[in-house]
Amino acid sequence: MSLHVIVGAGATGSALASRLAEAGERVRLVTRRGTGPVRPGIERVAADAADGDRMAALTVGAAALFGCAIPPYDRWPREFPPLAASLLAAAESTKADYVMLGNAYGYGAVAGAYREDLPIAPTSEKGRVRARMWRDALDAFQAGRVRVTEVRASDFVGSGAYSPFTLLVGRQVLAGEPIRYPGDLDVPHSWSYTHDVARTLIAAAGNEGSWGRAWHVPSTAHVSVRELAVRLAEAAGAPAPRLGRMPASELREIGRGDSIMAELSEMLYLLDRPAVLDASSTIATLGVGPTPLDAVLAEMAAERVPAHCGEQAASPRPPRSSPRAP
């Protein structure tokens, strides 16, 4: 039994912790409030992961440190750098392998599929935050101070996942409510199932060829928001979705009173064009394949809550306290 330290207990961090525990590994799950799955093999610890000394102490003896925590979307530039620096320093000082959970923001606007060997060329503030985190980790790897890899996902789906789709489309589909989506409804996207993300994190940590490079999560499907919404409604036995495009002006107006939604404006380039991850090297080298979309949709459909007659349609805005980023 090896010790694995996981920072963050969102949908992916919790799936990762459960999978490692099921495999007989020891898991130390670190969150601010000590939350996460309650099961044998998982030790839940309440700690501030941005506290470098505390994280180093918690990582002593660990085979791997997984960074799955994500600050509130509107506080990335302020809170992500110290968090990332703390985790990197903890991995360096304890010699734990460091596995980062990332996304495609650092690539910027890309024509065609996203590949792991594309240059890091962010076009947004949040993309620059992500790029800095990876460059700092890569510098440490190249200097021989730590073994590090990054697993990059696209739009998250699955039970408990947070993404523009789950927050602005999926919940409304399951409740039979009208949908206003601030992006192109008909361009293909890669959809990353949280358990496939967890499986990729585990596979990357266990492969000697992982270090100093990134891996893409194999996508459960490459379909449009419209198609995914229709298929989710069918899986849940919900009414056919009523989909409409939210104009940028409406998004800006909503953003005046909601700091989370305000952050979506600079990321519209990802919602307005195809966003497809090429995960062929992950499949070939790490041996991780995607979960069938129908199985993922069945899991999401199980979260359906009945809509009440006469109830006012819910706001398309994600809850302001949402701890996860799209």
Side-chain angles (χ1 to χ4, degrees):
M1 271 196 315
S2 298
L3 172 63
H4 301 269
V5 176
I6 301 169
V7 179
T12 298
S14 293
L16 174 62
S18 294
R19 284 183 169 272
L20 286 169
E22 287 168 6
E25 303 291 345
R26 291 171 54 213
V27 176
R28 181 171 293 148
L29 184 57
V30 181
T31 66
R32 284 186 178 274
R33 297 184 299 278
T35 55
V38 178
R39 56 164 299 145
I42 299 177
E43 173 195 3
R44 301 185 303 166
V45 176
D48 179 2
D51 181 336
D53 291 339
R54 178 71 167 136
M55 273 311 306
L58 290 170
T59 308
V60 170
L65 170 63
F66 295 89
C68 299
I70 301 177
Y73 207 42
D74 55 342
R75 302 207 296 268
W76 275 31
R78 183 170 71 256
E79 296 187 9
F80 232 151
L83 172 62
S86 173
L87 300 189
L88 179 58
E92 286 188 39
S93 66
T94 62
K95 304 305 178 185
D97 292 335
Y98 183 28
V99 185
M100 303 166 63
L101 173 58
N103 61 15
Y105 287 9
Y107 296 122
V110 172
Y114 291 84
R115 305 185 317 274
E116 295 100 332
D117 61 353
L118 287 173
I120 298 299
T123 55
S124 66
E125 181 62 27
K126 283 177 282 297
R128 286 186 283 273
V129 169
R130 281 288 191 187
R132 174 184 166 188
M133 291 165 57
W134 175 238
R135 286 173 179 146
D136 288 348
L138 198 56
D139 286 346
F141 168 78
Q142 292 170 344
R145 302 197 307 269
V146 68
R147 297 206 304 181
V148 63
T149 185
E150 184 170 65
V151 168
R152 295 173 184 161
S154 186
D155 297 81
F156 287 91
V157 290
S159 178
Y162 283 86
S163 68
F165 180 85
T166 63
L167 294 171
L168 303 176
V169 180
R171 292 178 178 180
Q172 289 75 9
V173 167
L174 297 179
E177 298 168 353
I179 295 155
R180 301 277 282 175
Y181 180 74
D184 192 323
L185 292 161
D186 296 302
V187 295
H189 285 258
S190 291
W191 303 97
S192 298
Y193 176 41
T194 51
H195 281 270
D196 290 343
V197 181
R199 290 167 56 227
T200 307
L201 289 163
I202 293 169
N207 190 292
E208 287 298 315
S210 286
W211 313 113
R213 59 157 294 175
W215 303 91
H216 285 167
V217 176
S219 299
T220 187
H222 306 293
V223 299
S224 69
V225 168
R226 189 185 305 277
E227 181 177 347
L228 193 64
V230 169
R231 292 183 62 174
L232 176 59
E234 292 171 350
R242 293 167 286 166
L243 294 154
R245 171 71 184 257
M246 179 190 295
S249 58
E250 183 178 338
L251 178 62
R252 288 193 297 270
E253 183 62 30
I254 292 172
R256 290 192 176 96
D258 188 316
S259 59
I260 298 290
M261 284 294 283
E263 293 297 317
L264 275 182
S265 291
E266 74 162 356
M267 306 312 301
L268 286 180
Y269 75 91
L270 280 174
L271 307 184
D272 275 334
R273 63 177 66 200
V276 175
L277 295 186
D278 179 349
S280 55
S281 61
T282 301
I283 295 169
T285 305
L286 300 186
V288 178
T291 298
L293 179 59
D294 287 343
V296 178
L297 293 176
E299 178 184 297
M300 296 173 69
E303 297 182 317
R304 184 183 181 191
V305 293
H308 299 290
C309 182
E311 184 180 43
Q312 184 177 1
S315 165
R317 299 190 298 276
R320 198 180 183 286
S321 59
S322 168
R324 306 292 291 175

